[in-house]
């Protein structure tokens, strides 16, 4: 009976997914890169192609070139809300659901709704709209992603309070990065295309500094790249995928060799702009109770070096080293395993060669390359 219930639930989820609206998100490294501008351009294109598109909420921030694009687009009127003696405007969620356009433009995904609204956050409104079968085009800045909150605070010195859970972005069918160089963005700011002239100098001294913009741009590019990678994994069959390089550096307690392997693998990963991992398999002979404290300190320092260079460190206890390497390589979708050149004494040759042969045998049936570093 339990299996039948699971089957029914799975089928219902498939039905819901097929009825759900498509979700497109424009993302950028900061205000002023042109996200809203691009959304409005797309709305005009859809309108020309007889698509029933409407603007549910747009925020032009009084930027003339963006404001001019509103002309000719059908708008869903905002609702008026009284809050603390003030008359404020908010997106009318119910009106959008009632009118039920084919596509709706909803700006400022991270926005916090006025107290008393049905949902606390606009992204929650968007999920309702999608569940109603309406397609949504929205926009947000990289600093509003929940998991990047601390990194953004370190870069900018500002705590971003309006945040969107990562799972919301992962629901997007398409994520598009609106990219500018730091110099281009600063020029736009100086030309008064982002903020009022009275705010320009303050912005240049704070958020709009080249080194901050550059780091935020990197975060935005990485986020979109990871979204595309997830989409490839879920939608493209394995036999049709482009091979993306992923490296696995295998180390032991041999300090100098491990350090060399880590550094050389880091350079390879940097060259291919790819993910990489460091694997340490702790055999019974290398148990912490059986090796010197100095060896343990060197091992910890190598883990730290690997992390600083961008690797994910994996530690496994096992006496079956080749099997662990092959298993981890499969789980992490590794394309290249990197090991050190063995420095063998005569009495070790038979044992070590056997381990090496076992590893070769495990990898021979896969597309994983084995590189011996020296």
């Amino acid at each position: 009976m339990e299996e039948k219930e699971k089957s029914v639930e799975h089928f219902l989820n498939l039905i819901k997914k097929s009825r759900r609206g498509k979700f497109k998100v424009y993302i950028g490294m900061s205000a002023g890169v042109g996200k809203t501008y691009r959304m409005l351009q797309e709305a005009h294109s859809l309108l020309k192609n007889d698509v029933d598109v409407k603007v549910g909420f747009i925020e032009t921030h009084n930027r003339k070139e963006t404001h001019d694009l509103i002309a000719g687009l059908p708008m869903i009127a905002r609702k008026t809300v009284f809050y603390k003696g003030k008359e404020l405007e908010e997106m009318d969620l119910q009106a959008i659901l009632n009118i039920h356009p084919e596509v709706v433009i909803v700006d400022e995904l991270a926005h916090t709704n006025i107290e008393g609204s049905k949902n606390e956050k606009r992204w929650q409104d968007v999920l309702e709209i999608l569940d109603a079968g309406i397609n949504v085009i929205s926009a947000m800045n990289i600093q509003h992603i929940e998991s990047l909150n601390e990194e953004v605070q370190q870069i900018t010195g500002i705590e971003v309070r309006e945040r969107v859970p990562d799972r919301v972005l992962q629901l997007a069918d398409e994520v598009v990065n609106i990219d500018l160089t730091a110099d281009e963005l600063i020029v736009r700011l100086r030309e008064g295309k982002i903020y009022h002239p009275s705010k320009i100098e303050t912005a240049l001294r704070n958020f709009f500094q080249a080194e901050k913009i550059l780091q935020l741009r990197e975060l935005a590019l990485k986020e979109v790249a990871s979204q595309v990678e997830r989409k490839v994994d879920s939608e493209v069959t394995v036999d049709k995928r482009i091979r993306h390089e992923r490296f696995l550096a295998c180390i032991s307690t041999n300090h100098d060799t491990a350090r060399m392997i880590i550094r050389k693998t880091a350079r390879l990963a940097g060259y291919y702009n790819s993910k990489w991992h460091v694997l340490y398999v702790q055999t019974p002979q290398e148990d912490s109770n059986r090796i010197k404290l100095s060896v343990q300190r060197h091992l910890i320092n190598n883990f730290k070096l690997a992390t600083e260079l961008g690797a994910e460190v994996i530690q496994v206890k096992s006496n079956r080293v080749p099997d662990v390497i092959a298993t981890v390589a499969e789980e992490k979708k590794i394309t290249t395993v990197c090991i050190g050149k063995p420095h063998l004494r005569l009495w070790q040759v038979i044992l070590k060669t056997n381990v090496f042969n076992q590893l070769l045998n495990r990898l021979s049936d896969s597309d994983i390359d084995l590189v011996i570093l020296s």
Side-chain angles (χ1 to χ4, degrees):
M1 186 66 183
E2 190 177 328
E3 286 298 319
K4 285 184 178 179
E5 287 177 358
K6 285 182 180 178
S7 178
V8 170
E9 186 180 352
H10 175 68
F11 185 61
L12 287 173
N13 286 335
L14 287 175
I15 292 172
K16 287 178 183 177
K17 189 175 180 181
S18 68
R19 290 175 179 172
R20 183 176 168 273
K22 296 295 183 183
F23 187 25
K24 182 174 185 176
V25 180
Y26 283 103
I27 199 166
M29 59 187 168
S30 76
V33 295
K35 302 180 298 298
T36 304
Y37 188 87
R38 280 286 295 275
M39 281 198 299
L40 292 174
Q41 280 186 320
E42 184 167 357
H44 278 286
S45 296
L46 291 170
L47 204 59
K48 286 179 182 176
N49 285 281
D50 297 321
V51 175
D52 177 20
V53 58
K54 289 185 171 51
V55 176
F57 188 94
I58 208 77
E59 183 56 76
T60 66
H61 296 285
N62 296 316
R63 293 167 191 150
K64 186 181 183 304
E65 57 185 10
T66 305
H67 190 80
D68 289 347
L69 276 175
I70 293 176
L73 292 176
M75 311 283 289
I76 294 176
R78 301 180 187 186
K79 65 179 179 180
T80 302
V81 180
F82 288 93
Y83 180 66
K84 292 185 178 179
K86 293 182 180 178
E87 186 177 285
L88 304 172
E89 287 187 335
E90 193 64 273
M91 183 179 80
D92 195 334
L93 171 61
Q94 194 56 53
I96 293 170
L97 296 175
N98 292 342
I99 295 168
H100 208 283
E102 190 174 347
V103 180
V104 65
I105 307 295
V106 179
D107 206 355
E108 305 280 354
L109 189 61
H111 171 78
T112 301
N113 293 332
I114 296 167
E115 195 173 313
S117 298
K118 182 181 179 183
N119 296 311
E120 182 187 354
K121 299 286 187 177
R122 183 165 293 157
W123 60 262
Q124 294 171 317
D125 293 339
V126 164
L127 294 185
E128 277 202 43
I129 295 168
L130 291 168
D131 286 341
I134 301 168
N135 303 304
V136 177
I137 300 173
S138 191
M140 63 180 291
N141 290 328
I142 191 69
Q143 58 263 36
H144 294 291
I145 296 176
E146 181 68 55
S147 64
L148 296 178
N149 187 250
E150 289 184 9
E151 276 188 81
V152 169
Q153 190 170 354
Q154 287 175 4
I155 293 168
T156 64
I158 300 167
E159 183 184 3
V160 178
R161 297 189 182 279
E162 292 188 317
R163 303 193 289 270
V164 175
D166 292 53
R167 66 178 178 84
V168 175
L169 203 59
Q170 288 163 11
L171 287 172
D173 299 282
E174 196 173 349
V175 179
V176 180
N177 183 40
I178 306 298
D179 188 38
L180 290 177
T181 66
D183 289 342
E184 287 171 332
L185 188 60
I186 290 170
V187 167
R188 283 181 57 79
L189 177 66
R190 290 187 183 280
E191 290 175 348
K193 293 181 177 179
I194 300 176
Y195 295 138
H196 188 273
S198 63
K199 297 181 179 179
I200 292 174
E201 289 305 317
T202 303
L204 286 169
R205 287 194 301 270
N206 294 292
F207 188 90
F208 283 80
Q209 294 177 20
E211 64 272 18
K212 293 179 181 178
I213 295 169
L214 191 60
Q215 291 177 84
L216 292 172
R217 185 186 184 199
E218 181 186 21
L219 289 180
L221 290 168
K222 282 182 176 178
E223 181 61 32
V224 174
S226 68
Q227 293 289 338
V228 172
E229 192 173 335
R230 271 195 290 270
K231 196 171 177 64
V232 168
D233 287 343
S234 64
E235 295 186 15
V236 180
T237 55
V238 175
D239 59 322
K240 292 183 180 179
R241 290 180 198 167
I242 297 171
R243 179 179 160 110
H244 294 287
E245 295 294 337
R246 292 189 185 209
F247 295 87
L248 179 66
C250 302
I251 66 169
S252 68
T253 50
N254 186 316
H255 172 60
D256 292 329
T257 301
R259 203 168 184 82
M260 176 272 293
I261 292 170
I262 289 168
R263 284 179 168 155
K264 288 194 173 182
T265 307
R267 287 181 64 84
L268 283 169
Y271 178 79
Y272 286 99
N273 191 28
S274 63
K275 292 182 179 179
W276 66 293
H277 310 264
V278 168
L279 172 64
Y280 167 61
V281 182
Q282 185 188 74
T283 62
Q285 292 78 19
E286 292 188 336
D287 187 272
S288 56
N289 295 321
R290 302 181 68 174
I291 60 175
K292 296 178 182 178
L293 285 174
S294 59
V295 175
Q296 292 182 47
R297 281 198 299 271
H298 283 314
L299 184 62
I300 291 168
N301 287 337
N302 281 332
F303 289 160
K304 184 179 178 183
L305 173 65
T307 302
E308 288 172 349
L309 292 174
E312 177 196 347
V313 176
I314 303 167
Q315 300 180 62
V316 179
K317 289 184 178 181
S318 176
N319 61 352
R320 299 175 65 85
V321 178
D323 291 340
V324 173
I325 293 173
T327 300
V328 170
E330 185 178 337
E331 288 175 354
K332 298 295 182 180
K333 299 177 183 174
I334 299 300
T335 60
T336 304
V337 172
C338 301
I339 64 173
K341 184 178 179 181
H343 301 285
L344 306 175
R345 295 177 183 176
L346 286 174
W347 61 271
Q348 292 177 310
V349 168
I350 295 174
L351 177 63
K352 294 290 184 182
T353 303
N354 185 43
V355 171
F356 183 72
N357 285 337
Q358 286 177 40
L359 180 59
L360 282 177
N361 289 335
R362 282 298 307 266
L363 299 181
S364 62
D365 294 330
S366 68
D367 292 330
I368 301 171
D369 298 323
L370 180 65
V371 175
I372 301 173
L373 301 172
S374 60

